[in-house]
Amino acid sequence: MNNHNISKKNENIIEIKNLKKSYDKGKIKALNGINLEVKDGEFISIMGRSGSGKSTLLNMLGALDTADEGSIEVAGIDLMKTKKLDEFRSKKIGFIFQFHNLIPNLTVVENVEIPLYETKTSNKDMRARALELLDDVNLSHRVDQRPNTLSGGERQRVAIARALVNHPSIILADEPTGSLDSKTGDVILNLLNDIQKKENVTLIMVTHEPEVAKRAERIVTVLDGKLSENC
Ligand SMILES: Nc1ncnc2c1ncn2[C@@H]1O[C@H](COP(=O)(O)OP(=O)(O)OP(=O)(O)O)[C@@H](O)[C@H]1O
Ligand SMILES: [Mg+2]
């Protein structure tokens, strides 16, 4: 690790204070005063029972939805105030979901290129970057196939490559191994780990499973819309 990486680690890339979000005109308090700081380059897991607010929190971090109250700063952007949420999402964030969400009529490499369409990257550079990441996830031999000809684990590896293609600051992964058997899940987690270090990104992973959560440097748990730190 070079000096740049060490100094980077000391900066907060996420700062959340007293964040609240309710649904159904206030009847469902999904987030009820969340406080969280995450250092640049950290890998953290978010745990908690079903319905505790994990996905809601991840959606706030990725600006897929807006909070009602409190403050949330991600990669230097104040998400309660900025008018450039689309730009924030496409430049700073990579998403990985439980189900890969690949587009069936595009090839593997075309799927990986999607987040670059909105940038000014040339076609040649898009292809080179997508192929680099497909090599990182050991799928160089599958680049021209359609997603429906791949296994579940292979599809999730394509989703990882797609999430990283635009050099995001943060990867938000919601149950990335939730649809896979434990052996395939392990392969995916090893890949995510390696690629997170190589690309030097912050990784926030939601999971139900303690064994999966333990992969992270830090585990936080959502309970009744609030966060507690596991020591
Ligand atoms: N769009 C919505 N409209 C109304 N209620 C919602 C909406 N999204 C989430 N909720 C509610 O907010 C609470 C938190 O939901 P959330 O999806 O964040 O839970 P979760 O921890 O991700 O659960 P799971 O582990 O099952 O994915 C739940 O009570 C849920 O029913
Ligand atoms: Mg969820």
Side-chain angles (χ1 to χ4, degrees):
M1 194 183 273
N2 60 34
N3 286 336
H4 171 69
N5 289 347
I6 290 166
S7 64
K8 240 187 126 186
K9 269 241 169 191
N10 292 324
E11 290 166 24
N12 282 338
I13 192 158
I14 294 171
E15 285 191 10
I16 297 180
K17 291 196 189 88
N18 201 25
L19 201 72
K20 295 186 180 176
K21 173 73 177 178
S22 57
Y23 294 108
D24 272 357
K25 299 189 180 112
K27 273 187 245 151
I28 300 170
K29 291 192 179 357
L31 303 179
N32 197 16
I34 295 277
N35 293 293
L36 177 67
E37 291 186 1
V38 179
K39 302 259 182 259
D40 200 355
E42 241 189 320
F43 173 12
I44 79 159
S45 289
I46 301 176
M47 294 197 72
R49 62 173 175 73
S50 180
S52 59
K54 303 180 299 295
S55 294
T56 305
L57 176 57
L58 221 60
N59 291 346
M60 303 289 139
L61 284 167
L64 291 177
D65 201 353
T66 49
D68 302 329
E69 256 186 81
S71 66
I72 175 164
E73 203 177 299
V74 181
I77 312 283
D78 183 338
L79 296 185
M80 300 296 270
K81 296 207 178 113
T82 184
K83 299 219 160 43
K84 297 180 174 171
L85 285 178
D86 286 345
E87 191 181 323
F88 163 81
R89 230 177 278 122
S90 62
K91 288 198 174 151
K92 303 284 188 190
I93 304 291
F95 292 99
I96 303 171
F97 301 98
Q98 178 170 0
F99 301 99
H100 49 79
N101 295 355
L102 299 175
I103 297 179
N105 54 351
L106 296 182
T107 64
V108 161
V109 69
E110 287 165 349
N111 264 282
V112 175
E113 286 172 345
I114 292 171
L116 294 174
Y117 289 168
E118 287 171 45
T119 66
K120 292 192 176 106
T121 318
S122 70
N123 286 350
K124 187 166 162 262
D125 289 350
M126 280 205 300
R127 187 54 50 107
R129 173 72 177 151
L131 291 175
E132 178 197 353
L133 282 160
L134 284 166
D135 189 38
D136 287 343
V137 297
N138 305 320
L139 281 178
S140 291
H141 56 304
R142 293 274 191 264
V143 296
D144 292 323
Q145 287 183 226
R146 310 252 166 207
N148 66 357
T149 65
L150 305 182
S151 71
E154 286 171 335
R155 290 176 203 184
Q156 203 57 319
R157 275 145 63 190
V158 179
I160 292 172
R162 181 185 55 185
L164 282 145
V165 79
N166 58 346
H167 298 280
S169 308
I170 303 175
I171 297 285
L172 300 174
D174 201 349
E175 301 275 3
T177 59
S179 64
L180 306 172
D181 63 76
S182 65
K183 206 170 150 200
T184 312
D186 272 348
V187 173
I188 295 293
L189 289 168
N190 287 339
L191 266 171
L192 255 180
N193 245 207
D194 291 350
I195 217 163
Q196 184 229 350
K197 288 197 195 95
K198 178 178 173 247
E199 298 271 330
N200 199 21
V201 295
T202 305
L203 176 58
I204 314 286
M205 178 178 72
V206 165
T207 178
H208 279 98
E209 295 171 60
E211 282 308 309
V212 173
K214 275 191 212 153
R215 296 275 194 139
E217 295 160 81
R218 187 149 70 97
I219 303 174
V220 295
T221 302
V222 193
L223 183 66
D224 298 332
K226 292 187 196 285
L227 268 190
S228 63
E229 195 100 6
N230 303 41
C231 299

Short mmCIF file of all heavy atoms in Angstrom, two decimals, residues 89-123:
data_model
loop_
_atom_site.label_atom_id
_atom_site.label_comp_id
_atom_site.label_asym_id
_atom_site.label_seq_id
_atom_site.Cartn_x
_atom_site.Cartn_y
_atom_site.Cartn_z
N ARG A 89 -24.94 9.68 -8.84
CA ARG A 89 -25.19 8.24 -8.98
C ARG A 89 -24.33 7.61 -10.07
O ARG A 89 -23.75 6.56 -9.88
CB ARG A 89 -26.67 8.04 -9.33
CG ARG A 89 -27.36 7.03 -8.49
CD ARG A 89 -28.82 6.94 -8.87
NE ARG A 89 -29.65 7.96 -8.28
CZ ARG A 89 -30.40 8.84 -8.96
NH1 ARG A 89 -30.44 8.81 -10.28
NH2 ARG A 89 -31.12 9.73 -8.33
N SER A 90 -24.23 8.28 -11.20
CA SER A 90 -23.52 7.65 -12.32
C SER A 90 -22.00 7.75 -12.18
O SER A 90 -21.29 6.90 -12.70
CB SER A 90 -23.97 8.22 -13.65
OG SER A 90 -23.68 9.58 -13.72
N LYS A 91 -21.51 8.73 -11.42
CA LYS A 91 -20.05 8.86 -11.32
C LYS A 91 -19.46 8.26 -10.06
O LYS A 91 -18.31 7.84 -10.05
CB LYS A 91 -19.67 10.35 -11.36
CG LYS A 91 -19.84 10.96 -12.73
CD LYS A 91 -19.07 12.24 -12.86
CE LYS A 91 -19.15 12.74 -14.28
NZ LYS A 91 -19.04 14.21 -14.33
N LYS A 92 -20.21 8.27 -8.96
CA LYS A 92 -19.62 7.91 -7.67
C LYS A 92 -19.99 6.53 -7.16
O LYS A 92 -19.32 5.99 -6.29
CB LYS A 92 -20.05 8.93 -6.60
CG LYS A 92 -19.69 10.37 -6.91
CD LYS A 92 -18.22 10.61 -6.68
CE LYS A 92 -17.88 12.07 -6.81
NZ LYS A 92 -16.44 12.29 -6.81
N ILE A 93 -21.11 5.98 -7.67
CA ILE A 93 -21.66 4.77 -7.06
C ILE A 93 -21.73 3.60 -8.04
O ILE A 93 -22.10 3.78 -9.20
CB ILE A 93 -23.11 5.05 -6.55
CG1 ILE A 93 -23.14 6.22 -5.58
CG2 ILE A 93 -23.72 3.81 -5.91
CD1 ILE A 93 -22.47 5.99 -4.26
N GLY A 94 -21.37 2.41 -7.54
CA GLY A 94 -21.61 1.17 -8.29
C GLY A 94 -22.57 0.32 -7.48
O GLY A 94 -22.40 0.18 -6.27
N PHE A 95 -23.59 -0.21 -8.13
CA PHE A 95 -24.59 -1.03 -7.42
C PHE A 95 -24.46 -2.50 -7.79
O PHE A 95 -24.30 -2.84 -8.97
CB PHE A 95 -26.01 -0.61 -7.81
CG PHE A 95 -26.40 0.76 -7.34
CD1 PHE A 95 -26.34 1.85 -8.20
CD2 PHE A 95 -26.86 0.97 -6.04
CE1 PHE A 95 -26.71 3.12 -7.77
CE2 PHE A 95 -27.23 2.24 -5.61
CZ PHE A 95 -27.15 3.32 -6.48
N ILE A 96 -24.56 -3.36 -6.77
CA ILE A 96 -24.70 -4.80 -7.02
C ILE A 96 -25.92 -5.27 -6.23
O ILE A 96 -26.02 -5.00 -5.03
CB ILE A 96 -23.46 -5.60 -6.54
CG1 ILE A 96 -22.19 -5.07 -7.22
CG2 ILE A 96 -23.63 -7.09 -6.82
CD1 ILE A 96 -20.90 -5.64 -6.64
N PHE A 97 -26.86 -5.93 -6.91
CA PHE A 97 -28.09 -6.34 -6.25
C PHE A 97 -28.10 -7.86 -6.05
O PHE A 97 -27.26 -8.58 -6.58
CB PHE A 97 -29.31 -5.93 -7.10
CG PHE A 97 -29.38 -4.45 -7.34
CD1 PHE A 97 -28.90 -3.89 -8.53
CD2 PHE A 97 -29.90 -3.59 -6.38
CE1 PHE A 97 -28.95 -2.53 -8.75
CE2 PHE A 97 -29.96 -2.23 -6.59
CZ PHE A 97 -29.49 -1.69 -7.78
N GLN A 98 -29.11 -8.33 -5.31
CA GLN A 98 -29.23 -9.77 -5.05
C GLN A 98 -29.40 -10.54 -6.36
O GLN A 98 -28.82 -11.59 -6.56
CB GLN A 98 -30.42 -10.03 -4.12
CG GLN A 98 -30.65 -11.50 -3.85
CD GLN A 98 -31.67 -11.72 -2.75
OE1 GLN A 98 -32.21 -10.76 -2.19
NE2 GLN A 98 -31.94 -12.96 -2.44
N PHE A 99 -30.23 -9.98 -7.23
CA PHE A 99 -30.39 -10.56 -8.56
C PHE A 99 -29.69 -9.61 -9.51
O PHE A 99 -29.85 -8.39 -9.41
CB PHE A 99 -31.88 -10.76 -8.88
CG PHE A 99 -32.54 -11.65 -7.88
CD1 PHE A 99 -33.29 -11.12 -6.84
CD2 PHE A 99 -32.35 -13.02 -7.92
CE1 PHE A 99 -33.86 -11.95 -5.89
CE2 PHE A 99 -32.92 -13.86 -6.97
CZ PHE A 99 -33.68 -13.32 -5.95
N HIS A 100 -28.92 -10.18 -10.41
CA HIS A 100 -27.93 -9.41 -11.17
C HIS A 100 -28.48 -8.25 -11.99
O HIS A 100 -27.77 -7.31 -12.30
CB HIS A 100 -27.17 -10.38 -12.06
CG HIS A 100 -28.10 -11.27 -12.81
ND1 HIS A 100 -28.73 -10.83 -13.93
CD2 HIS A 100 -28.54 -12.52 -12.57
CE1 HIS A 100 -29.53 -11.79 -14.34
NE2 HIS A 100 -29.43 -12.84 -13.54
N ASN A 101 -29.78 -8.29 -12.37
CA ASN A 101 -30.38 -7.21 -13.19
C ASN A 101 -29.63 -6.95 -14.49
O ASN A 101 -29.45 -5.80 -14.89
CB ASN A 101 -30.43 -5.88 -12.42
CG ASN A 101 -31.35 -5.94 -11.21
OD1 ASN A 101 -32.00 -6.95 -11.00
ND2 ASN A 101 -31.40 -4.88 -10.44
N LEU A 102 -29.18 -8.01 -15.15
CA LEU A 102 -28.51 -7.81 -16.45
C LEU A 102 -29.57 -7.71 -17.55
O LEU A 102 -30.69 -8.22 -17.40
CB LEU A 102 -27.57 -8.99 -16.75
CG LEU A 102 -26.45 -9.19 -15.75
CD1 LEU A 102 -25.65 -10.45 -16.08
CD2 LEU A 102 -25.52 -7.98 -15.68
N ILE A 103 -29.20 -7.06 -18.65
CA ILE A 103 -30.15 -6.89 -19.75
C ILE A 103 -30.00 -8.08 -20.72
O ILE A 103 -28.91 -8.31 -21.25
CB ILE A 103 -29.92 -5.54 -20.45
CG1 ILE A 103 -30.20 -4.43 -19.43
CG2 ILE A 103 -30.79 -5.40 -21.69
CD1 ILE A 103 -30.01 -3.03 -19.92
N PRO A 104 -31.09 -8.85 -20.90
CA PRO A 104 -30.98 -10.13 -21.62
C PRO A 104 -30.54 -10.03 -23.08
O PRO A 104 -29.85 -10.93 -23.57
CB PRO A 104 -32.38 -10.74 -21.52
CG PRO A 104 -33.27 -9.71 -20.94
CD PRO A 104 -32.44 -8.60 -20.39
N ASN A 105 -30.94 -8.96 -23.78
CA ASN A 105 -30.59 -8.93 -25.21
C ASN A 105 -29.27 -8.24 -25.51
O ASN A 105 -28.92 -8.03 -26.67
CB ASN A 105 -31.73 -8.34 -26.05
CG ASN A 105 -32.14 -6.97 -25.56
OD1 ASN A 105 -31.69 -6.55 -24.49
ND2 ASN A 105 -32.96 -6.28 -26.31
N LEU A 106 -28.51 -7.90 -24.47
CA LEU A 106 -27.15 -7.40 -24.68
C LEU A 106 -26.15 -8.50 -24.30
O LEU A 106 -26.46 -9.35 -23.46
CB LEU A 106 -26.88 -6.18 -23.80
CG LEU A 106 -27.70 -4.92 -24.07
CD1 LEU A 106 -27.25 -3.79 -23.13
CD2 LEU A 106 -27.57 -4.47 -25.52
N THR A 107 -24.98 -8.46 -24.93
CA THR A 107 -23.95 -9.45 -24.57
C THR A 107 -23.36 -9.08 -23.21
O THR A 107 -23.61 -7.99 -22.68
CB THR A 107 -22.81 -9.48 -25.61
OG1 THR A 107 -22.17 -8.19 -25.58
CG2 THR A 107 -23.31 -9.78 -27.01
N VAL A 108 -22.54 -9.98 -22.69
CA VAL A 108 -21.88 -9.77 -21.41
C VAL A 108 -21.08 -8.46 -21.42
O VAL A 108 -21.24 -7.61 -20.55
CB VAL A 108 -20.98 -10.98 -21.08
CG1 VAL A 108 -19.94 -10.64 -20.03
CG2 VAL A 108 -21.84 -12.16 -20.64
N VAL A 109 -20.25 -8.27 -22.43
CA VAL A 109 -19.39 -7.08 -22.45
C VAL A 109 -20.23 -5.81 -22.62
O VAL A 109 -19.95 -4.78 -22.01
CB VAL A 109 -18.26 -7.20 -23.51
CG1 VAL A 109 -18.78 -7.17 -24.93
CG2 VAL A 109 -17.22 -6.10 -23.32
N GLU A 110 -21.30 -5.90 -23.40
CA GLU A 110 -22.19 -4.73 -23.56
C GLU A 110 -22.88 -4.37 -22.24
O GLU A 110 -23.05 -3.20 -21.91
CB GLU A 110 -23.23 -4.99 -24.65
CG GLU A 110 -22.63 -4.96 -26.05
CD GLU A 110 -23.54 -5.57 -27.12
OE1 GLU A 110 -24.57 -6.21 -26.78
OE2 GLU A 110 -23.20 -5.43 -28.30
N ASN A 111 -23.28 -5.40 -21.49
CA ASN A 111 -23.89 -5.16 -20.18
C ASN A 111 -22.92 -4.41 -19.26
O ASN A 111 -23.32 -3.50 -18.53
CB ASN A 111 -24.30 -6.48 -19.52
CG ASN A 111 -25.76 -6.81 -19.76
OD1 ASN A 111 -26.64 -6.25 -19.13
ND2 ASN A 111 -26.00 -7.72 -20.70
N VAL A 112 -21.66 -4.81 -19.30
CA VAL A 112 -20.66 -4.17 -18.42
C VAL A 112 -20.44 -2.71 -18.83
O VAL A 112 -20.18 -1.85 -17.99
CB VAL A 112 -19.34 -4.98 -18.43
CG1 VAL A 112 -18.26 -4.27 -17.63
CG2 VAL A 112 -19.58 -6.38 -17.88
N GLU A 113 -20.59 -2.42 -20.11
CA GLU A 113 -20.34 -1.06 -20.60
C GLU A 113 -21.46 -0.06 -20.23
O GLU A 113 -21.25 1.15 -20.29
CB GLU A 113 -20.20 -1.06 -22.13
CG GLU A 113 -18.89 -1.65 -22.61
CD GLU A 113 -18.86 -1.83 -24.13
OE1 GLU A 113 -19.94 -1.78 -24.76
OE2 GLU A 113 -17.78 -2.05 -24.67
N ILE A 114 -22.63 -0.57 -19.86
CA ILE A 114 -23.81 0.31 -19.69
C ILE A 114 -23.54 1.57 -18.86
O ILE A 114 -23.87 2.68 -19.29
CB ILE A 114 -25.01 -0.48 -19.10
CG1 ILE A 114 -25.51 -1.49 -20.14
CG2 ILE A 114 -26.15 0.46 -18.71
CD1 ILE A 114 -26.54 -2.46 -19.59
N PRO A 115 -22.93 1.45 -17.67
CA PRO A 115 -22.73 2.67 -16.87
C PRO A 115 -21.83 3.71 -17.55
O PRO A 115 -21.83 4.88 -17.18
CB PRO A 115 -22.05 2.16 -15.59
CG PRO A 115 -22.42 0.72 -15.52
CD PRO A 115 -22.48 0.26 -16.94
N LEU A 116 -21.09 3.30 -18.58
CA LEU A 116 -20.20 4.24 -19.27
C LEU A 116 -20.91 5.02 -20.38
O LEU A 116 -20.38 6.00 -20.89
CB LEU A 116 -18.99 3.50 -19.85
CG LEU A 116 -18.03 2.89 -18.82
CD1 LEU A 116 -16.96 2.07 -19.50
CD2 LEU A 116 -17.40 3.97 -17.95
N TYR A 117 -22.12 4.56 -20.75
CA TYR A 117 -22.84 5.24 -21.83
C TYR A 117 -23.06 6.72 -21.54
O TYR A 117 -23.03 7.55 -22.43
CB TYR A 117 -24.21 4.58 -22.09
CG TYR A 117 -24.15 3.22 -22.73
CD1 TYR A 117 -25.28 2.42 -22.79
CD2 TYR A 117 -22.97 2.72 -23.29
CE1 TYR A 117 -25.25 1.16 -23.38
CE2 TYR A 117 -22.92 1.47 -23.87
CZ TYR A 117 -24.06 0.70 -23.91
OH TYR A 117 -24.03 -0.54 -24.48
N GLU A 118 -23.31 7.04 -20.24
CA GLU A 118 -23.61 8.43 -19.88
C GLU A 118 -22.34 9.27 -19.75
O GLU A 118 -22.42 10.47 -19.51
CB GLU A 118 -24.36 8.48 -18.56
CG GLU A 118 -25.78 8.01 -18.67
CD GLU A 118 -26.43 7.87 -17.31
OE1 GLU A 118 -26.28 8.77 -16.49
OE2 GLU A 118 -27.08 6.83 -17.09
N THR A 119 -21.17 8.65 -19.83
CA THR A 119 -19.92 9.41 -19.70
C THR A 119 -19.39 9.73 -21.10
O THR A 119 -19.96 9.30 -22.11
CB THR A 119 -18.86 8.58 -18.95
OG1 THR A 119 -18.53 7.46 -19.75
CG2 THR A 119 -19.37 8.12 -17.59
N LYS A 120 -18.30 10.47 -21.13
CA LYS A 120 -17.78 10.85 -22.45
C LYS A 120 -16.73 9.88 -22.96
O LYS A 120 -15.96 10.20 -23.87
CB LYS A 120 -17.20 12.27 -22.36
CG LYS A 120 -18.27 13.32 -22.12
CD LYS A 120 -17.73 14.72 -22.32
CE LYS A 120 -18.83 15.75 -22.17
NZ LYS A 120 -18.75 16.50 -20.92
N THR A 121 -16.70 8.68 -22.41
CA THR A 121 -15.70 7.69 -22.79
C THR A 121 -15.89 7.24 -24.25
O THR A 121 -17.03 7.03 -24.69
CB THR A 121 -15.83 6.44 -21.88
OG1 THR A 121 -16.04 6.88 -20.55
CG2 THR A 121 -14.61 5.56 -21.94
N SER A 122 -14.80 7.10 -25.00
CA SER A 122 -14.91 6.63 -26.39
C SER A 122 -15.29 5.15 -26.40
O SER A 122 -15.05 4.43 -25.42
CB SER A 122 -13.58 6.83 -27.12
OG SER A 122 -12.62 5.92 -26.60
N ASN A 123 -15.83 4.69 -27.54
CA ASN A 123 -16.21 3.28 -27.65
C ASN A 123 -15.03 2.35 -27.41
O ASN A 123 -15.17 1.31 -26.76
CB ASN A 123 -16.77 2.99 -29.05
CG ASN A 123 -18.16 3.57 -29.20
OD1 ASN A 123 -18.76 4.01 -28.21
ND2 ASN A 123 -18.65 3.59 -30.43
#
